[in-house]
Structures are given as structure tokens and as C-alpha cells.
Amino acid sequence: MSRVVADMTKCQGYANCVVTAPDHFDLGEDGKVRVLSQALADDQLTVVREAIDACPVAALRLEAP
Amino acid sequence: MTTLQEIRERYDFPDDDAIIAGLDNGATLPVEFYTAPEFHDLEQELIFSRTWQYACHESVLAKPGDYAVTKAGRTPIIITHGRDGQLHGMVNVCRHRLHSLAEENGNKPLLQCPYHGWTYDLNGQLKTAPRSNREPNFDCSTISLERVSVERWDQWVFVNPDPNARPLSEVIGEIKPRTDEINNDLREYEFKVRYEYDMACNWKIWAENAVECYHCPTLHKSSFGKSYDVGPDDYELASGDNTIYHKGPLKWIPGDVDLAGLKGFRFAFTFPSSFFALDDYVGFIGTIVPTTLNRSFAFVDMFAKPGADETVVKEWLDMWDRTLQEDEQATAIQQIGYESGRVRAGRLMLDSESPLQAFMKACHRSLIGGA
């Protein structure tokens, strides 16, 4: 199962991921990304890839199983 | 802001006592109220910035994350269904560079400005601003969207740009027993279509047209006036300080329909510009937005009773569109008459046009600074 991982040193709180894939990402109290569930089923990959592509500072990445 | 008194000194129309006496005796407001450019700003400030106006049906905001955009006067507004289950009304203007947060209704967990990405929670609190960690002393917790008031009137969501507005339930208390009945009947009606009208008249001319039915037997002789009894002994009118009510029986329906037992037409208007109505087949709700001094925009959401005769519903939706187009044409022609300046005030027929007097008094009361 693929996993989505956030690099908190890169996250600038653009929130594009939250707006693109609200079931997978949220903002924490610090204004940075929170990954709601790291493990992804195959049918969740498309929207999560869109969220990864939407991040202006490349703070999100997909790790293969 | 230019005051009513300053406008009066510029155009030399009657003083407030004379205007009130005139209204009591059946005169209309002086024509300058419809033609002097200063009135547009004055009305935005004293009327549309502090009154309740229709925004949307509650179904648009049914679940957390739902948001609806609307305008009350010139205030862009966004209403959200928060994660706390409550409706929140905010000015739809980002605190960064004043772009809107959204231009269309939708569902999102956060409100992200599409311009630079400032992101607010559904309560309007700024949560994050890109690169804010590079700004000394930048604190998101001190920044939030400006608030407006939002309240439900049964299934309808109303907004008031004033964050400290007098509660809608108080403003409409005088008409509530009647609208309880209307909204209870309307609750099951299903949304069909939104009609929009861009009108070449001052907003008051269109609102005045909406609140009287003296014109129905002539202007609407083949539309509204053909469908309902609009004579003075059949058509009921009632006016309060902020609201107006009409009720008229059905007299003609397409096809072979028995009229016995039908409730007929009922209409409710709340100052300054929102209205809803229904009969046994269709219902509608709408509002008027002043665009400029001599242009107005109106939208009307049309609903139909489930299971009602489809032929009648189709004919009725069309009848209402024809009626509203007839109003649009008449009010544009009135605007020309007002701008001629040759008639300083009209003369009302108070037995039939008493709601007009109430509407004009509410306008005047607002413009001299009263609630």
C-alpha cells in the first residue's frame, strides 16, 4: 500500500492539499499540513497525486509500498 | 457620506415634515429620491448595509463545509456551514489584498483565497498565510474575515451586513404568523429554476411595483391579472413597519381544474427588497439588488409543488416570467418619467396602494437615520 508523507521542514501552509483532497489532509494548529491517513488504497491515489502536484513547495511525496 | 439634508440643500426638495405629511396624504416620495446620484451611496449605507436580505435556501448549506456566496447591497458575503454545525456569515473579502474567497457556492474544509492562498477556517479565522514565517510579528490568530449577521427565516437563509443587526425574528415579528403558514406550505415545494432580471430602473421603482397590485388588472391582464382575483374586494393587503402581505384567490387555471379548496396566492415582502410567495402550484423567493442609481438586478428562485399537474406548473412558471418581464418593461419606462423632472411627485390611490405608502415611509425613515 502506498504512503503519503509530508516534509514539515518544507511545508509553508499553502493549504492547496487540503482544498484539493480534504479527506486526506488538514491544517494543524501551527498552520502546517496534517496527513489524515498515510496509507492509501489504490482508488485514493488519483486525488492524492493531485494534492501532491498542487503543493507549491513540494512538501508532499508518495512512497511506494 | 452626504446626508439627506445636504442632498436636500442641493436639489431643493421638501423638508422631512412635508415629505411625511405628503406620504400621509397620498403623495409619493419626491422624484429626487429616484434620480439624485447621491441617494445611491446614502441608501447603501443607511438601508442595504443594515437590513436583512434573502441569500439562499437552507439546502445549499445542509452539511459542514457547504458555503454559499451572495451579495447584500454592495457587500459580498459568504455563508458557511461550520464544523461546529452553525451557519457563519462573513464578508467575502480576503484581509490580504481584498480578493473574494469564492465566486460560486461549493463545499470545502477551509476557505482558501485563490489569489495568494491566505486560508481561513469555516468560522473566518485565518489559519495560514504562505511565507508568513518570513514576516516578523505576523500572527494569524489576530486576523479574521469581517463578520455579518446570518439568520434563518424558516427554510430561507437571510443575511444582514451589520454584524450587530437587530435579530431578523424581531424585524419580521409582525408578519410571522402569516409567513409561518406560507413557509410551511412552501417547505415541500421543489426548486425548478432561477429567473434573473437586469432592470433599467432605480431599485425602489421595482420594489414599489412588487408591493402593490393596483397595476395587475391592466399591466398583467393576460398574466397575473388573468390568474388571480385582483379586485379591491377580493385582494387582501396588510402593511407593517417592515413587512407587507398580499393574499388573493385563484380565478383561472389552465385546463379543467376545480378551484374549490385551493388556497390561492399569498405574498410576503420584507423591507427593503426581499419577497416570497406561493399559490397551490408554484412558489418563489427573490430579492432586488441596486446596481447603480438607475439600474437594478433581481433574482427569483422558482419552486413547484411536487405532484402538481405538470401542465399547470409549466404554464404557471411561464406566467410568472411573463408577469415579471411586464414589470421590468413598465419600471424602465417609469424611470424615464422620473428623470424628466417635470413631475415632482406621484399621487397614490391609498385604498389600493397602501403598501406603497408603507414602503416609502420605511425608506424615508431609514434615510433620516431611523431604524
Side-chain angles (χ1 to χ4, degrees), chain B residues 343-358:
Chain B
V343 177
R344 301 302 300 270
R347 198 310 192 168
L348 300 179
M349 304 294 272
L350 287 180
D351 180 63
S352 296
E353 295 182 303
S354 53
L356 266 182
Q357 183 189 45

Side-chain angles (χ1 to χ4, degrees), chain B residues 112-173:
Chain B
Q112 184 191 49
C113 179
Y115 195 3
H116 299 91
W118 281 33
T119 301
Y120 304 81
D121 68 18
L122 295 168
N123 298 19
Q125 175 65 52
L126 184 65
K127 299 302 290 181
T128 171
R131 304 180 203 169
S132 57
N133 59 341
R134 300 166 71 94
E135 298 292 316
N137 304 319
F138 188 93
D139 181 358
C140 288
S141 71
T142 63
I143 298 172
S144 55
L145 297 176
E146 290 290 326
R147 307 211 71 81
V148 305
S149 297
V150 57
E151 207 175 312
R152 293 170 198 264
W153 185 348
D154 300 320
Q155 62 267 48
W156 317 113
V157 179
F158 274 66
V159 289
N160 186 324
D162 180 355
N164 303 307
R166 183 182 169 206
L168 175 64
S169 54
E170 277 183 26
V171 174
I172 60 164

Side-chain angles (χ1 to χ4, degrees), chain B residues 26-86:
Chain B
T28 65
L29 292 169
V31 291
E32 288 83 358
F33 279 59
Y34 306 81
T35 59
E38 295 85 348
F39 271 95
H40 183 68
D41 279 345
L42 189 69
E43 289 173 340
Q44 288 292 334
E45 183 66 27
L46 295 179
I47 297 177
F48 286 90
S49 294
R50 53 180 75 174
T51 49
W52 289 95
Q53 292 146 68
Y54 169 63
C56 63
H57 187 267
E58 64 179 0
S59 61
V60 176
L61 293 159
K63 57 186 185 300
D66 283 346
Y67 59 87
V69 296
T70 187
K71 235 178 149 188
R74 61 184 166 203
T75 308
I77 289 172
I78 186 161
I79 312 159
T80 63
H81 183 142
R83 296 188 191 194
D84 56 3
Q86 302 295 310

Side-chain angles (χ1 to χ4, degrees), chain A residues 11-16 18-20 22 25-32, chain B residues 83 107-112 116-117 119 127-134:
Chain A
C11 179
Q12 296 285 314
Y14 274 91
N16 291 4
V18 186
V19 173
T20 306
F25 305 97
D26 200 357
L27 280 184
E29 284 305 309
D30 58 356
K32 301 284 182 68
Chain B
R83 296 188 191 194
N107 181 289
K108 294 270 174 64
L110 297 163
L111 301 175
Q112 184 191 49
H116 299 91
T119 301
K127 299 302 290 181
T128 171
R131 304 180 203 169
S132 57
N133 59 341
R134 300 166 71 94

